[in-house]
Amino acid sequence: MIRADGLSYSIGDFKLRGLSLEVAQGQYFVLLGPPGSGKTILLECLCGLRQIRSGRIYIDEYDVTNREPRARNIGYVPQDYALFPHLSIEHNIAFGLRAKGYDRKAILNRVGQAVEMLGIEHMLKRSVKAISGGERQRVALARALVLQPKVLLLDEPVCALDEATRQDVCAELHRIQRQFSVTTIHVSHNLEEIFSVADKAGILCKGQFQQIGSIDTLLRKPHNEFVARFMRCENILSGQVIQVGPQSESSTLLCGKVRLIVPGHHQGQVKFVIRPENVLLFTGEGHSDSINELPVNLSHFRDCGNYVRMELKGDVDIVAHLSHPAFAELNAKSQSGLTVRLRPEDIHVLAG
């Protein structure tokens, strides 16, 4: 387990401001955010490469705030892997063990276990200069894991890999993390990475957490518009509350000319989101005065591989993602009459 309480740090105009974070034992946590949001700086603060201005850092309830990096029992894999070009693969992996004074037998045993698990035992005598980006990633990971750290920090570990192998390597990272049962923080700005590894994630922006939660929560119940956009929710709409339902369990909004029932008690002007994959689409024109239904025309569609992206125009413009079978069954033609149905449970009203 690793915990940061009220962590603050500044460099130039950039600041981490009172960040708090807790990653449970054995959890795989992904730290998300756009470039410049502070992801790498936060990792470097946690492992002691940067001295924080205020706050405390704990590992398994032990305060490590003032400990040197090597005394924190953290394995750190930087974005460039920081391998030593003048050393062999074997000596790179064993470097930390030698620095800690392990004897030859213990070093051989730990290195052997790590390289076998990562499938790089055949590379031990090779030079760092002679291996690929994916192989360097495995060597850097082995060098961190041989120390049997309590916490593993990975700074964009697959950014140097091509798109075709990134998903496979992420799946392997998740398998290795489970096998070692090591608490892991994985920095990324790529959403595709998180779906194959994350138990939980947090989104940073300008040195502050915007939201921390499960992937399902971040996708379908974003706290604010920034999180919704970062998680690629294209349908961010506005409406005026015109009625509150019995026991305040629901509210009725007017969005353009469309009435929508949404969960919860709301007042005034609100913003809400609905993910494109939750938009239900039917042939035939609906009635403009129906609740949670709106007539639309298909303006444009594009094959996106796993789904078809449809741009729909009406009193409210909306984007829908349909599976290929659903799209084929719909048999939609450009400008043909269609009806969108939005289930209340799929609509999420943003806070504030």
Side-chain angles (χ1 to χ4, degrees):
M1 183 274 289
I2 184 168
R3 188 174 88 246
D5 289 341
L7 189 152
S8 295
Y9 174 84
S10 62
I11 179 170
D13 294 332
F14 180 82
K15 294 181 180 180
L16 296 177
R17 292 167 285 184
L19 292 189
S20 293
L21 170 68
E22 182 170 336
V23 182
Q25 172 62 38
Q27 194 171 62
Y28 202 122
F29 184 91
V30 176
L31 185 59
L32 292 162
S37 58
K39 303 184 298 294
T40 295
I41 288 177
L42 176 55
L43 282 200
E44 291 175 347
C45 288
L46 293 175
C47 66
L49 295 178
R50 294 180 184 266
Q51 186 63 46
I52 61 174
R53 187 178 64 195
S54 62
R56 312 304 297 177
I57 300 169
Y58 300 89
I59 296 178
D60 288 351
E61 302 302 333
Y62 292 100
D63 189 335
V64 300
T65 309
N66 297 316
R67 290 187 187 179
E68 294 182 0
R70 62 183 179 180
R72 297 191 181 199
N73 204 6
I74 288 177
Y76 177 48
V77 180
Q79 189 171 335
D80 62 0
Y81 305 140
L83 300 176
F84 302 114
H86 62 288
L87 297 180
S88 68
I89 302 300
E90 181 179 14
H91 287 164
N92 262 281
I93 296 171
F95 183 84
L97 295 172
R98 287 195 171 95
K100 286 180 173 287
Y102 283 80
D103 61 41
R104 177 176 171 76
K105 183 178 180 181
I107 290 174
L108 288 174
N109 182 50
R110 286 204 186 187
V111 170
Q113 289 178 344
V115 298
E116 181 180 0
M117 188 170 296
L118 289 163
I120 56 174
E121 57 266 44
H122 62 288
M123 296 166 42
L124 289 178
K125 303 305 179 185
R126 293 167 63 181
S127 165
V128 169
K129 299 176 182 178
I131 61 177
S132 69
E135 290 168 335
R136 288 181 182 224
Q137 186 252 2
R138 288 173 173 82
V139 172
L141 190 58
R143 186 176 62 180
L145 291 173
V146 292
L147 296 172
Q148 297 179 356
K150 290 284 187 181
V151 177
L152 181 64
L153 306 180
L154 306 173
D155 191 359
E156 303 220 28
V158 297
C159 67
L161 306 181
D162 61 83
E163 195 68 31
T165 59
R166 185 175 295 172
Q167 188 171 352
D168 290 340
V169 173
C170 281
E172 184 179 352
L173 281 173
H174 191 251
R175 176 187 64 80
I176 292 166
Q177 185 265 345
R178 285 288 186 265
Q179 196 159 350
F180 277 89
S181 191
V182 58
T183 305
T184 300
I185 300 179
H186 172 141
V187 164
S188 177
H189 61 266
N190 187 312
L191 287 189
E192 277 68 30
E193 290 178 30
I194 73 173
F195 299 127
S196 56
V197 297
D199 298 316
K200 196 174 181 181
I203 299 178
L204 269 180
C205 180
K206 298 179 181 179
Q208 289 189 309
F209 275 115
Q210 300 297 304
Q211 189 171 356
I212 296 174
S214 67
I215 302 305
D216 182 67
T217 297
L218 296 176
L219 282 169
R220 294 173 178 84
K221 295 186 178 180
H223 183 71
N224 55 36
E225 188 171 344
F226 176 85
V227 174
R229 292 191 184 280
F230 189 86
M231 298 303 290
R232 299 181 189 168
C233 183
E234 298 182 81
N235 299 316
I236 302 175
L237 306 169
S238 297
Q240 178 72 35
V241 177
I242 58 174
Q243 185 178 354
V244 177
Q247 289 81 49
S248 299
E249 293 179 356
S250 66
S251 302
T252 302
L253 311 180
L254 189 63
C255 181
K257 297 179 181 178
V258 179
R259 288 183 297 160
L260 298 173
I261 293 178
V262 302
H265 181 186
H266 307 284
Q267 294 180 327
Q269 191 78 12
V270 298
K271 282 191 175 183
F272 61 94
V273 299
I274 180 166
R275 292 201 62 81
E277 60 269 24
N278 289 335
V279 174
L280 305 178
L281 198 55
F282 304 92
T283 55
E285 294 190 11
H287 301 286
S288 59
D289 59 348
S290 296
I291 295 177
N292 286 69
E293 288 189 359
L294 58 147
V296 294
N297 291 319
L298 175 59
S299 171
H300 179 72
F301 70 90
R302 185 174 74 248
D303 188 341
C304 294
N306 293 330
Y307 60 90
V308 178
R309 181 182 181 274
M310 304 177 67
E311 295 180 11
L312 305 165
K313 301 292 184 180
D315 286 334
V316 177
D317 294 343
I318 201 162
V319 174
H321 292 173
L322 264 66
S323 67
H324 286 276
F327 181 75
E329 185 177 344
L330 195 65
N331 193 26
K333 301 276 180 76
S334 181
Q335 301 300 319
S336 62
L338 299 167
T339 297
V340 160
R341 183 176 300 157
L342 305 178
R343 296 180 300 187
E345 61 267 28
D346 292 329
I347 300 174
H348 174 67
V349 177
L350 298 176

